[in-house]
Amino acid sequence: MAVVTIQIGQCGNQIGRQLFSTIHNDITAKQTAVSSSQNDDYTSASLQRFFRRETDMHMPEARAVMVDMEHKVVTRMMSEANKEGMWKYGKGQQYFKNSGSGNNWAHGYLVHGPEAQESVLELVRREAEACDRLGGFLCLMSLAGGTGSGLGAFITGCLREHFAHAHIINQVVAPYGDGEVIVQDYNTVLTLSRLHRDSDAVIVAENDGLHKVCATRLAHKHVAFSHMNSVLAHQLGALLQPAATCGRACTLSDMLEALVSHPDYKLLSMMHVPQVSNASLSFSTSTWPSLLTRLQRMHEMHSVADEGFSWAAPSRNRSVCNLLVARGKDSSSLDCLPLTDRRSYVSWMPASCTLSLWSHPRHYAGLERSALLLSNSASVASLLDRVVDKAWGMFSSRAYLHQYARFGLGEDDFVNSFAVLEQIVHNYKNL
Amino acid sequence: MTQSIVIQIGQCGNQIGCRFWDLALKEHAANNKNRVYDTAISHFFRNADDNFAGLEDIPVGDGTGKIHSLKARAVLIDMEEGVLSTILKGPLREIFDHKQLVSDVSGSGNNWAVGHKLYGARYRDEILDSVRRAAEACDCLQCFLLVHSMGGGTGSGLGTFVLRLLQEEFPEVHNRFVTAVFPSAADDVVTSPYNSILALRQLTECAEAVIPVENQALQEICDKISRATTAGGEKNSNPIKDGSAISDNHHNTGSKRSEKPFDRMNNVVANLLLNMTSSARFEGSLNIDLNEIAMNLVPFPRMHYLIPGMAPLYSLSVVASQPRRLDEMFNDVFSRRHQLIRADPKQGLYLSCALLVRGKVQLSDIRRNIYRLIYIISWP
């Protein structure tokens, strides 16, 4: 099974580069505590999933399409990959123009989208044809900017149209709550309304949460975007690397089957333990019960970071369903009791479908035991509520609308998008 | 890979423009030790190959070609010859060619109508030609930066005529940024109120964003810097790092040339323009373009007057405790003394605000300061 990654915008490209580096480092890791035949199975499956090796046996090429409206970031990411010297981006798999989208969703969606459609689809088709068995598409983008959000939403729509049966998963990054870009709430609302229709699953990561992980657990004195990107790449790697469930290998369709059983509930959040800095890696061990309890507590407290919970008013976090990916020793015979409390799941979900377990005995990223929880739960509701509130506040005074109208996005489009988002928030709040 | 064209009109506009090109060359020289013609430099300069008689431009290519002869992407307009001929005799004569200049002999006599109606009609085609030539030399033209004063005749009259012309003839380049120098209370032109009001109407209708600058505020900033220069002067050596003040003429050069009267104030405005476009030229972890500045700061089409503030005004040669200095910088940029017009932003209501940070500043420092400052400012 192969996954084609489409990196859109500055954020998407930066995360994508980190993701491939993380995966490649994991593949070439030495201490894995499994037999060499198991290791070979794992590494070949992982290589097959993310890289191509047609031209050069020692320098695999990432199965990726890089899209951006300006060239600075794409060229930088390619040169960083070349500098590392372990893998590289395929030549010609990049699409970029000269002038950016100016943080304007309408510019990305209505102007750059149709312009880029042919070329980008051609690049995607090329990657898809190079796969033996296409597992699905992973789109990396941000919600605040113009290219990532607008062009990303458009490309997702194109993918849905042209690859009607393929699985499309979007990894989106929500900006800091106090603002990176002034119109970020508009862009978020417009993007999510389109993704909800076109994508199969949307994994929402927040800069606030990632920042907290870096600042508290990983003890970075000065948190930079590169730190946050590597945390997110780390989590995505833990999710997408080969794993097994009930004796057979896991695919993207297993993930969607486990998590997105109802079309109204597509937004997922990711949490990963243990969160240790590289310095303390050799000093920490953990047992499965402790890891699972921590995950369960983080899930309850809607927190991506493993500390700093606000114990003020813990409302029970209700989930539709969860997926647990455990990597390390004895992971297949795991006792998931902490996460299977019937009361934290919705009543209309049968008990056997609430929690799925994937596992692999190989160590991931030097961690003896690690667990990732991908959950379809009400944690996203608070983020969306806040965003919709702020966006509506701006919309009611008609602020910035002329900037969007300039590219053809009228008030009706806004109102429709608000309606879709309100519906999503309502659904999640009433779980 | 975008380009901008600078259009400087009138005596004030051309003098500021002169300082701007000087500082831009110095900035690129400091950053580009190998003398290659890369995308950063191509934002404001063309690489002309003067072996050919027709002055063919050399494209950026892969960014490693050598610089042959830099030409500024600029159009210089003035209705009297004094300022332009000084420029053409001065050290910057190499980067302009005579096709980019539009000039006349007699001047506008501080009369907006003469500048706008009379010279506008007379020189419309010539100006359009020059701009079109500059625009054709660009791969991807992103914005027009106009610089002129509001009180005079040419700057305000002909300047706003050019603005309207750009709106009509280049509608797809909707980024028209105007750096307008407003007259202060103590102004030497009697008709400046009339000229300013007439020009203000044109700016409101045709510009994308206007960055007002006031002579009085610039004067106060320059005074503040020179007070700091002479403060510790008796016993210690100069506490300010040489060349770091935003009103300085020369970064890292040894000798001091003779300075003209308005040079220090013009340097401040030139630095403002350079810093605003720095993210479009150089790369960073969170790039912001001129598109984005306009998009985020202008919520309603006619309310597009942006108050500029800069900090720090200079850096000390003794590097004191960094974190406190950094936080002080964020405080300062909102304070009354650091704005380029005489206004106290904290007294008013903010519609939107953008912080462009340049240099070795960590993301966490920025976020810490934003948390703090959000509560000091009043939002609707």
Side-chain angles (χ1 to χ4, degrees):
Chain A
M1 181 195 80
V3 173
V4 174
T5 307
I6 303 163
Q7 325 177 162
I8 309 162
Q10 179 171 21
C11 174
N13 277 295
Q14 285 175 334
I15 292 180
R17 211 269 310 158
Q18 282 279 25
L19 177 63
F20 284 110
S21 291
T22 309
I23 290 177
H24 200 272
N25 288 341
D26 185 43
I27 291 178
T28 51
K30 296 291 176 237
Q31 286 190 320
T32 55
V34 290
S35 68
S36 70
S37 68
Q38 261 189 321
N39 197 28
D40 287 337
D41 284 341
Y42 180 90
T43 48
S44 62
S46 176
L47 263 177
Q48 173 70 319
R49 191 174 283 197
F50 293 105
F51 297 94
R52 283 183 281 144
R53 274 195 301 188
E54 300 150 345
T55 44
D56 185 352
M57 281 311 278
H58 295 290
M59 186 73 120
E61 287 180 4
R63 295 192 198 272
V65 176
M66 304 165 83
V67 181
D68 200 359
M69 279 298 118
E70 44 166 25
H71 72 99
K72 284 196 287 245
V73 181
V74 170
T75 33
R76 182 126 184 254
M77 291 302 116
M78 287 179 75
S79 66
E80 277 181 19
N82 287 337
K83 225 185 290 187
E84 267 180 37
M86 306 293 286
W87 57 275
K88 64 178 191 203
Y89 279 108
K91 215 160 166 233
Q93 287 302 99
Q94 291 78 35
Y95 175 83
F96 49 83
K97 305 280 307 191
N98 284 323
S99 74
S101 306
N103 285 161
N104 192 326
W105 191 90
H107 200 173
Y109 193 85
L110 295 172
V111 175
H112 287 137
E115 268 173 25
Q117 186 174 0
E118 274 306 317
S119 325
V120 173
L121 273 180
E122 181 55 41
L123 295 179
V124 173
R125 224 170 265 138
R126 217 187 286 169
E127 281 295 340
E129 275 158 24
C131 303
D132 266 341
R133 201 159 63 91
L134 179 64
F137 297 106
L138 175 69
C139 296
L140 304 170
M141 49 205 256
S142 74
L143 288 176
T147 307
S149 63
L151 186 59
F154 187 84
I155 290 182
T156 310
C158 287
L159 288 179
R160 174 55 68 211
E161 214 183 293
H162 284 87
F163 297 90
H165 299 290
H167 299 301
I168 303 176
I169 298 179
N170 290 62
Q171 164 69 60
V172 299
V173 179
Y176 286 108
D178 347 297
E180 289 167 18
V181 163
I182 296 182
V183 290
Q184 63 191 38
D185 303 305
Y186 275 164
N187 292 342
T188 306
V189 167
L190 291 165
T191 311
L192 283 179
S193 63
R194 302 303 190 276
L195 289 185
H196 194 77
R197 181 190 64 198
D198 294 327
S199 173
D200 285 318
V202 180
I203 308 177
V204 182
E206 291 176 58
N207 269 348
D208 283 313
L210 294 172
H211 185 105
K212 210 162 150 212
V213 173
C214 292
T216 57
R217 294 300 296 173
L218 304 182
H220 287 295
K221 267 202 293 213
H222 296 286
V223 177
F225 277 121
S226 55
H227 302 139
M228 290 161 42
N229 290 343
S230 71
V231 169
L232 184 55
H234 196 78
Q235 292 179 348
L236 272 178
L239 174 66
L240 295 171
Q241 286 287 56
T245 179
C246 310
R248 65 159 210 277
C250 301
T251 60
L252 284 186
S253 25
D254 289 317
M255 171 160 67
L256 293 175
E257 191 189 316
L259 285 170
V260 187
S261 39
H262 192 298
D264 276 345
Y265 299 95
K266 283 186 187 172
L267 302 178
L268 312 173
S269 29
M270 261 194 317
M271 285 162 210
H272 188 245
V273 287
Q275 295 164 359
V276 283
S277 57
N278 282 334
S280 1
L281 202 53
S282 36
F283 298 106
S284 52
T285 55
S286 27
T287 58
W288 287 121
S290 80
L291 282 180
L292 291 185
T293 342
R294 272 144 72 180
L295 260 188
Q296 195 253 345
R297 204 174 48 191
M298 283 157 64
H299 184 64
E300 279 294 310
M301 293 290 131
H302 306 271
S303 167
V304 177
D306 192 11
E307 70 178 54
F309 304 140
S310 62
W311 294 98
S315 60
R316 182 143 230 137
N317 189 6
R318 307 262 294 166
S319 320
V320 175
C321 32
N322 292 332
L323 169 64
L324 179 66
V325 183
R327 296 183 184 275
K329 205 162 144 190
D330 301 326
S331 48
S332 41
S333 51
L334 207 44
D335 176 17
C336 305
L337 195 53
L339 289 165
T340 52
D341 189 348
R342 193 72 193 81
R343 288 170 297 169
S344 59
Y345 292 97
V346 285
S347 47
W348 44 266
M349 207 57 191
S352 52
C353 307
T354 49
L355 179 69
S356 314
L357 171 66
W358 290 5
S359 63
H360 201 282
R362 189 179 188 271
H363 291 186
Y364 174 70
L367 295 166
E368 198 191 328
R369 296 187 181 87
S370 65
L372 174 97
L373 183 69
L374 188 59
S375 82
N376 190 345
S377 66
S379 327
V380 292
S382 58
L383 164 72
L384 290 187
D385 213 12
R386 209 175 50 220
V387 166
V388 171
D389 264 344
K390 282 204 199 150
W392 188 256
M394 282 207 281
F395 184 71
S396 46
S397 43
R398 301 287 182 272
Y400 297 101
L401 290 186
H402 73 281
Q403 308 271 15
Y404 290 93
R406 185 183 276 163
F407 296 103
L409 197 70
E411 287 191 17
D412 303 330
D413 295 303
F414 272 93
V415 171
N416 289 339
S417 307
F418 274 114
V420 171
L421 265 273
E422 291 276 337
Q423 184 61 41
I424 299 177
V425 173
H426 178 84
N427 287 341
Y428 273 105
K429 271 192 173 160
N430 293 342
L431 269 185
Chain B
M1 199 177 7
T2 54
Q3 288 87 26
S4 303
I5 296 181
V6 177
I7 305 180
Q8 30 194 92
I9 308 126
Q11 178 179 20
C12 171
N14 278 296
Q15 282 176 336
I16 293 180
C18 211
R19 301 310 320 135
F20 171 75
W21 290 112
D22 190 31
L23 289 179
L25 283 171
K26 291 197 173 104
E27 184 184 57
H28 282 289
N31 274 313
N32 192 346
K33 299 278 191 251
N34 300 332
R35 303 284 184 271
V36 293
Y37 182 67
D38 58 8
T39 51
I41 247 195
S42 78
H43 192 91
F44 281 124
F45 296 95
R46 309 190 322 253
N47 191 11
D49 186 0
D50 35 6
N51 288 329
F52 294 101
L55 268 177
E56 287 278 334
D57 275 351
I58 306 173
V60 178
D62 57 0
T64 52
K66 285 278 178 223
I67 294 177
H68 283 257
S69 159
L70 287 177
K71 294 278 180 219
R73 299 189 198 275
V75 179
L76 289 77
I77 305 174
D78 198 1
M79 291 295 110
E80 52 181 11
E81 288 186 322
V83 182
L84 287 185
S85 48
T86 323
I87 295 180
L88 288 179
K89 289 199 206 102
L92 289 177
R93 62 182 175 276
E94 303 279 327
I95 58 171
F96 300 117
D97 67 55
H98 64 94
K99 285 182 272 198
Q100 295 169 278
L101 271 65
V102 177
S103 71
D104 196 303
V105 184
S106 42
S108 308
N110 285 334
N111 189 330
W112 187 89
V114 171
H116 194 95
K117 303 274 185 187
L118 184 65
Y119 285 126
R122 193 184 292 178
Y123 286 103
R124 185 181 195 279
D125 293 328
E126 211 178 308
I127 295 174
L128 196 52
D129 255 347
S130 303
V131 176
R132 207 161 262 153
R133 202 173 292 125
E136 273 159 25
C138 297
D139 270 331
C140 178
L141 178 60
Q142 193 185 48
C143 89
F144 289 110
L145 289 166
L146 277 77
V147 190
H148 61 79
S149 70
M150 297 290 278
T154 310
S156 72
L158 192 54
T160 46
F161 178 83
V162 172
L163 181 62
R164 192 167 274 277
L165 187 66
L166 293 176
Q167 188 188 37
E168 285 164 15
E169 298 288 332
F170 296 88
E172 70 280 356
V173 184
H174 51 82
N175 280 332
R176 293 174 289 278
F177 281 75
V178 182
T179 305
V181 183
F182 280 75
S184 309
D187 188 51
D188 51 356
V189 175
V190 176
T191 49
S192 63
Y194 273 164
N195 294 335
S196 304
I197 293 295
L198 291 165
L200 206 54
R201 176 182 160 223
Q202 305 290 329
L203 287 183
T204 311
E205 285 173 9
C206 306
E208 178 75 14
V210 179
I211 303 167
V213 175
E214 214 185 315
N215 272 339
Q216 185 75 15
L218 292 177
Q219 186 65 48
E220 281 172 11
I221 288 179
C222 293
D223 286 342
K224 193 164 177 219
I225 296 177
S226 50
R227 265 201 308 274
T229 320
T230 55
E234 300 91 8
K235 277 177 274 181
N236 318 328
S237 55
N238 191 341
I240 298 186
K241 204 147 65 142
D242 203 24
S244 66
I246 57 174
S247 65
D248 253 346
N249 226 346
H250 27 261
H251 298 189
N252 306 323
T253 58
S255 59
K256 281 187 183 292
R257 274 189 1 239
S258 60
E259 273 184 354
K260 300 218 224 60
F262 280 96
D263 262 0
R264 298 170 68 82
M265 291 158 59
N266 292 340
N267 278 332
V268 177
V269 182
N271 269 315
L272 169 74
L273 283 173
L274 277 179
N275 288 333
M276 223 171 57
T277 52
S278 62
S279 189
R281 293 176 287 141
F282 305 107
E283 57 167 28
S285 59
L286 192 56
N287 296 330
I288 188 159
D289 237 334
L290 289 163
N291 271 332
E292 277 143 30
I293 293 178
M295 166 78 181
N296 281 304
L297 290 177
V298 182
F300 303 101
R302 290 166 75 89
M303 298 174 78
H304 57 234
Y305 291 85
L306 315 174
I307 302 179
M310 293 168 74
L313 297 177
Y314 48 82
S315 54
L316 302 174
S317 46
V318 176
V319 176
S321 52
Q322 278 293 40
R324 210 165 52 97
R325 196 85 182 100
L326 205 62
D327 289 0
E328 223 178 293
M329 181 175 87
F330 280 94
N331 268 339
D332 283 342
V333 86
F334 285 103
S335 88
R336 193 182 171 292
R337 303 249 167 256
H338 287 244
Q339 307 301 314
L340 270 62
I341 66 175
R342 292 175 70 233
D344 189 359
K346 286 199 246 180
Q347 297 291 340
L349 195 65
Y350 268 85
L351 283 176
S352 57
C353 169
L355 287 171
L356 291 140
V357 187
R358 206 177 162 182
K360 282 207 196 83
V361 184
Q362 302 287 353
L363 182 64
S364 47
D365 295 324
I366 303 179
R367 296 206 45 73
R368 184 179 70 235
N369 280 292
I370 290 183
Y371 274 130
R372 225 168 22 97
L373 293 165
I374 275 192
Y375 299 104
I376 304 181
I377 308 170
S378 43
W379 308 89

